[in-house]
Amino acid sequence: MSSTAELRAAAVEVLRENWSGSATLPSRRQYPHQWSWDSAFISIGWARVDVARARQELSSLFLGQWSSGRVPQIVFNTDADPEAYFPGPGFWRSAAATGAPAAATSGIVQPPIHSRAVLTTYLADDSSPEARRFLRALYPQLRAWHNYLHEHRDLGGAGLVAIVHPWESGLDNSPLWDTMLRDDHGFDAGPGFERRDLLHVRAGHRPTDADYLAYVKLATQYRDSGYADTGLAEHGFVVEDPLFNALLLDADLCLARIAEQLEEDPAPHRRAAEGLHAALMDRLWNADRRQFAARDVRTGKLSEVATVGCLVPLLDPWLDPRIRQEVIELACSADFLGGCDYPLPSTALTAAEFDRQRYWRGPAWINTNWLVWLAARQAGAAELADRVARSSVALVSSGGFREYFDPISGEGLGAESFSWSAALTLDFLDQLDPAG
Ligand code: DGY
């Protein structure tokens, strides 16, 4: 694609084609429903070109919120074939769960970037009455979402939120979880277990069958417990993830800003963010390896491999300057920015687990690039931010709006016309070249 204007027009076209009437599908064929953190990223792109759609995107996601405050990973699209995606509504059976909404949803969650997306959408148009109404309507829903995480998901009891399934991390088959998934011998996934992802993408670019068996086992156990979050013993996977907790810290600070706009009390949200900062340092800073890590709550062990998720705590505004500098240096090192032509790889290039084309085990993704870019700007690391933004635009310019990219060759991989790649490109372009 030659010019910024053409790239921008092509990105808008992807979003328009994936619009379902009330939300944006991540990709029409492979992901024909509404995904939670996808929607948040997508609304940030819509806010650049059609703020009414950004508002509708986020409002429709919250129609899937449970009475506990849980915002589900997927809100199923009634216009799509229920068998088109596995696991679909028949697997999750949300209608049978206490407190589930009228819409069919999955029962797990995804990283909480929604308050940032709502604030961004509001600020794009903050003088209009529609923007005020939107903010007023979403505020209690965001509060309930954050309360659910802080109150029901602190399974380690030390002030951090735990995820109970690798899909909740958003980085499904990241090597961070390799040592944390229990042995799956003896689990029979049953006749409904049929992978649909492999109809669209080469097996070598997706999680393995062994990964899927573990995913289905954990999801089945959680579903059969009625999606109970009562204790450690029920779960086969309980992990405090640096990306998830750093995003919640950032989201709590965004919620404080939303509260201020509405003349509500921001203090509880700030306190929640401060609590996360203290717990992040206490529990997820791996002092031996000088990097943030994921903690297996059942064993207390910290992960060792460096992944892009370990860079996201750079979003924490209270990081000790020495630690901030170490995270920036890791991001700029030959493991990430400095070691390939199309950064950022999702797993350190020198790690034994690095696999340049397999989903979250090596490829570069536009959404994690966007998170590191945001964090780097906030941390004053202007050069890192600029290089990540330019790399992201180079990736979609040469590879198209693909789901992920080989960080060494730049080849586009996974789904085509992928919504968050298009949406976040709009945001990168507006910041890099506001007049373009
Ligand atoms: C998938 O199906 O690969 C999704 O990432 C799960 O949310």
Side-chain angles (χ1 to χ4, degrees):
M1 248 167 261
S2 43
S3 72
T4 300
E6 279 169 352
L7 194 57
R8 207 179 248 127
V12 173
E13 188 56 26
V14 166
L15 294 186
R16 292 206 191 289
E17 278 178 6
N18 288 343
W19 180 249
S20 75
S22 58
T24 314
L25 313 173
S27 97
R28 279 216 165 259
R29 291 173 67 234
Q30 197 175 335
Y31 304 109
H33 304 288
Q34 184 175 24
W35 260 259
S36 167
W37 82 323
D38 290 66
S39 255
F41 285 122
I42 291 164
S43 68
I44 288 167
W46 273 129
R48 293 268 171 209
V49 291
D50 185 342
V51 72
R53 281 231 170 142
R55 288 194 287 264
Q56 205 180 344
E57 178 83 44
L58 290 161
S59 302
S60 73
L61 177 70
F62 277 84
L63 292 177
Q65 186 169 32
W66 294 30
S67 63
S68 58
R70 180 193 308 260
V71 176
Q73 160 228 23
I74 302 175
V75 179
F76 289 106
N77 169 12
T78 47
D79 292 334
D81 169 3
E83 302 298 323
Y85 173 82
F86 175 83
F91 174 88
W92 294 101
R93 300 181 206 152
S94 60
T98 311
T105 77
S106 68
I108 56 172
V109 301
Q110 274 189 324
I113 188 185
H114 310 86
S115 291
R116 172 157 289 278
V118 168
L119 180 64
T120 305
T121 297
Y122 170 73
L123 292 176
D125 179 30
D126 58 352
S127 53
S128 79
E130 291 82 4
R132 296 292 299 176
R133 271 200 297 278
F134 164 76
L135 202 64
R136 175 61 62 202
L138 268 283
Y139 178 59
Q141 294 186 280
L142 291 169
R143 231 177 29 210
W145 167 222
H146 289 214
N147 285 346
Y148 166 74
L149 292 172
H150 284 294
E151 286 168 17
H152 296 280
R153 287 302 193 87
D154 181 6
L155 297 171
L160 288 178
V161 167
I163 53 173
V164 298
H165 195 290
W167 282 332
E168 293 200 317
S169 71
L171 276 53
D172 308 2
N173 67 339
S174 168
L176 282 185
W177 332 126
D178 285 2
T179 58
M180 303 178 182
L181 289 170
R182 275 191 185 155
D183 178 11
D184 296 307
H185 287 311
F187 176 66
D188 178 4
F193 176 23
E194 195 191 319
R195 290 185 65 173
R196 304 290 145 75
D197 56 323
L198 300 183
L199 298 175
H200 308 286
V201 179
R202 281 186 20 207
H205 299 175
R206 288 285 303 172
T208 62
D209 281 345
D211 288 332
Y212 256 77
L213 198 62
Y215 300 156
V216 173
K217 180 180 180 182
L218 289 168
T220 303
Q221 287 169 342
Y222 193 36
R223 177 196 69 199
D224 292 350
S225 76
Y227 300 109
D229 298 312
T230 40
L232 272 185
E234 280 137 21
H235 300 287
F237 180 89
V238 186
V239 176
E240 292 167 351
D241 170 42
L243 178 149
F244 197 108
N245 280 282
L247 280 185
L248 183 57
L249 187 163
D250 179 67
D252 279 328
L253 290 175
C254 290
L255 199 53
R257 289 174 64 192
I258 291 172
E260 275 167 353
Q261 291 290 335
L262 295 170
E263 295 176 4
E264 302 275 354
D265 183 7
H269 310 308
R270 287 221 189 89
R271 274 199 300 277
E274 282 162 10
L276 280 172
H277 162 73
L280 203 60
M281 290 317 305
D282 192 35
R283 308 261 296 172
L284 302 190
W285 175 248
N286 188 332
D288 294 337
R289 302 189 79 86
R290 315 302 304 163
Q291 67 192 35
F292 283 99
R295 173 183 286 265
D296 184 338
V297 178
R298 293 165 309 148
T299 63
K301 286 211 178 105
L302 290 178
S303 59
E304 302 201 336
V305 57
T307 68
V308 72
C310 303
L311 306 176
V312 176
L314 194 55
L315 275 174
D316 178 346
W318 300 297
L319 283 188
D320 178 287
R322 190 180 42 86
I323 290 181
R324 180 177 300 134
Q325 194 49 37
E326 283 177 328
V327 179
I328 293 168
E329 279 168 18
L330 178 61
C332 294
S333 74
D335 266 330
F336 290 99
L337 193 71
C340 57
D341 287 340
Y342 295 93
L344 294 165
S346 43
T347 298
L349 292 157
T350 59
E353 298 87 343
F354 173 76
D355 180 340
R356 62 194 271 189
Q357 301 211 324
R358 197 185 280 284
Y359 213 44
W360 286 102
R361 297 183 77 84
W365 289 70
I366 298 300
N367 69 326
T368 41
N369 273 12
W370 188 87
L371 290 175
V372 173
W373 172 68
L374 174 72
R377 285 197 309 160
Q378 286 189 181
E383 197 190 330
L384 169 62
D386 190 63
R387 287 176 66 191
V388 172
R390 290 186 192 285
S391 165
S392 306
V393 172
L395 279 169
V396 296
S397 297
S398 63
F401 296 109
R402 298 295 294 267
E403 188 181 7
Y404 43 97
F405 303 84
D406 183 324
I408 295 166
S409 68
E411 185 191 352
L413 304 164
E416 292 176 16
S417 299
F418 192 66
S419 293
W420 81 32
S421 300
L424 296 174
T425 296
L426 291 171
D427 204 48
F428 280 128
L429 288 177
D430 269 24
Q431 311 264 350
L432 282 174
D433 182 13

